[in-house]
Amino acid sequence: MLSLAQLKSQLPCVLKNTDFPSLGEKYEGKIRDNYTQGDRRILIVTDKVSAFDRVLGYIPFKGQVLNQMARFWFDQTKNICGNHALSFPDPNVVVGKQCKALPVEMVVRGYLTGTTSTSAWYNYSKGVRDFCDNKLPDGMKKDQKFVHPIITPSTKALHGNHDESVAPQVLLDRKLVTKEQLDYLMKVAMELYLKGVEICAKQGIILVDTKYEFGLDNNDEIILIDEIHTPDSSRFWKSATYQQNFEAGLNQDNINKEYLRIWLADRGYMGDGPVPNIPEEVIIETARRYIEAYQLITGENFVAEVGPVLERIEENLTKYL
Ligand SMILES: Nc1ncnc2c1ncn2[C@@H]1O[C@H](COP(=O)(O)OP(=O)(O)OP(=O)(O)O)[C@@H](O)[C@H]1O
Ligand SMILES: [Mg+2]
């Protein structure tokens, strides 16, 4: 594990954004800079951190952690569902198949939790018992495990808008996907989640919930795109302390950006208005947690690439420029 001093010294080197006109047409997502070259899509994962659907700052090594974690999971799940990854020319970069993204995110939840207004817990605490067509019993407590994991699809909002959770049928009514596609997405999302749960469990981790994005490749096959089972797309807790925290009504031991979300929520920030100034210690602790998550979940040592990220990426992408 990197020392706090090493994490601190990476602060000025973080990857904020990229500008490589010769890499292809650029689309700037919240976290990834995407460049399209014909049937290839080059995704550069920046060190931006977002919560409540907004970018809040930059976390050392976060892009590397995310990209390498997605790589691990793409590999572990390729027999369940094909994915876009073709190659990884840099720790922060994946070259993928350019797809037609389906306008839906498949969210799978194993536990009743969350802090945002789209979270299952928030809705449940406000009295909602039918969550995207999943009927929930009365009397559940925060962070309680569902009898069976539930799928709560959400529509992919355009830049700046909040996503909307909907019942599967709504996706059909709005003609966002076909019935055949929906059936496949529901099946595969659950299989991917259960595979994630199984692998995490061996590592002493609970994969609490997650979301998947899919796209149509050149052959109109549905494949997994973007990222999978990263701390940005998923929530992870430590198994060892789950039960005691649950019974005492304490926050779970999160090993992801939930830390930052809770830090902000404790200061009254819920996604609207000016973002509170996030102190350096909190940024560094967030970085530490991302790296810890990588090591705990994959069981692999994280080999941090220290130094300026942008220059390194430019060098590693020379053949694509
Ligand atoms: N192989 C792919 N083909 C087509 N689109 C893809 C592929 N992989 C990822 N994407 C899309 O590229 C974007 C990746 O950028 P990023 O993850 O930063 O965006 P986001 O914050 O998830 O969403 P938004 O684009 O709404 O800001 C997403 O919109 C994702 O749907
Ligand atoms: Mg994304």
Side-chain angles (χ1 to χ4, degrees):
M1 188 66 179
L2 292 170
S3 67
L4 293 183
Q6 284 170 309
L7 290 173
K8 193 176 157 107
S9 67
Q10 187 69 11
L11 284 172
C13 303
V14 291
L15 184 65
K16 297 189 171 176
N17 45 49
T18 68
D19 182 22
F20 299 125
S22 59
L23 207 51
E25 195 187 329
K26 182 179 172 186
Y27 167 79
E28 199 176 315
K30 267 191 294 292
I31 302 300
R32 289 164 187 75
D33 283 357
N34 300 247
Y35 294 89
T36 306
Q37 295 188 341
D39 56 7
R40 272 199 308 227
R41 186 181 185 100
I42 300 170
L43 292 92
I44 304 180
V45 190
T46 68
D47 291 323
K48 285 174 192 160
V49 66
S50 75
F52 308 103
D53 272 339
R54 287 173 72 168
V55 174
L56 304 170
Y58 306 92
I59 308 294
F61 304 113
K62 175 174 176 278
Q64 187 188 338
V65 164
L66 249 69
N67 195 45
Q68 294 188 331
M69 192 115 105
R71 178 183 193 163
F72 170 85
W73 284 111
F74 279 139
D75 198 48
Q76 297 286 330
T77 57
K78 58 179 188 257
N79 296 331
I80 298 174
C81 181
N83 61 67
H84 74 164
L86 296 169
S87 66
F88 293 84
D90 178 274
N92 287 57
V93 181
V94 55
V95 178
K97 291 182 197 167
Q98 172 63 30
C99 292
K100 195 166 162 284
L102 295 172
V104 47
E105 294 184 346
M106 298 302 287
V107 182
V108 188
R109 304 167 192 266
Y111 295 76
L112 180 60
T113 191
T115 42
T116 69
S117 60
T118 55
S119 74
W121 169 248
Y122 180 88
N123 282 278
Y124 187 89
S125 68
K126 292 271 177 290
V128 175
R129 292 292 178 271
D130 179 333
F131 201 36
C132 306
D133 230 11
N134 300 284
K135 310 283 184 285
L136 303 180
D138 284 333
M140 285 186 76
K141 291 201 290 182
K142 184 163 188 282
D143 298 344
Q144 189 169 339
K145 189 177 182 179
F146 294 124
V147 178
H148 302 289
I150 63 170
I151 300 182
T152 63
S154 96
T155 58
K156 226 176 123 41
L158 294 172
H159 260 318
N161 292 317
H162 295 285
D163 298 344
E164 182 195 358
S165 294
V166 294
Q169 180 61 38
V170 174
L171 300 174
L172 300 179
D173 297 345
R174 294 191 195 166
K175 299 202 167 22
L176 297 175
V177 291
T178 66
K179 175 79 173 86
E180 194 196 344
Q181 288 172 336
L182 178 64
D183 290 346
Y184 182 74
L185 293 175
M186 296 289 284
K187 169 177 160 298
V188 136
M190 188 57 77
E191 283 176 18
L192 289 168
Y193 175 73
L194 294 176
K195 185 75 185 172
V197 167
E198 178 196 321
I199 293 175
C200 285
K202 289 186 190 140
Q203 299 290 119
I205 305 277
I206 297 174
L207 175 60
V208 180
D209 47 34
T210 191
K211 64 124 181 147
Y212 305 103
E213 287 184 44
F214 298 89
L216 299 174
D217 71 7
N218 275 343
N219 307 317
D220 267 354
E221 302 268 357
I222 295 182
I223 63 171
L224 198 52
I225 61 170
D226 209 33
E227 61 178 340
I228 166 168
H229 300 166
T230 70
D232 272 11
S233 67
S234 318
R235 195 177 271 123
F236 301 96
W237 294 335
K238 291 190 184 161
S239 313
T241 46
Y242 167 74
Q243 194 60 31
Q244 72 198 50
N245 284 335
F246 173 64
E247 281 165 18
L250 297 172
N251 283 336
Q252 293 296 330
D253 291 326
N254 294 293
I255 50 169
N256 62 338
K257 72 175 176 188
E258 191 71 357
Y259 165 73
L260 196 57
R261 263 193 229 154
I262 291 173
W263 188 89
L264 288 160
D266 283 349
R267 276 147 195 86
Y269 184 75
M270 291 297 282
D272 298 305
V275 183
N277 184 42
I278 306 171
E280 210 170 272
E281 311 85 76
V282 176
I283 300 276
I284 289 172
E285 175 58 14
T286 307
R288 201 191 62 72
R289 286 177 181 236
Y290 271 100
I291 294 171
E292 182 191 33
Y294 178 88
Q295 301 194 142
L296 279 176
I297 291 161
T298 66
E300 289 165 11
N301 187 39
F302 180 72
V303 184
E305 294 270 350
V306 295
V309 182
L310 186 64
E311 285 80 346
R312 188 197 69 219
I313 290 178
E314 187 162 14
E315 209 173 296
N316 285 332
L317 288 185
T318 319
K319 75 166 179 173
Y320 297 98
L321 290 165

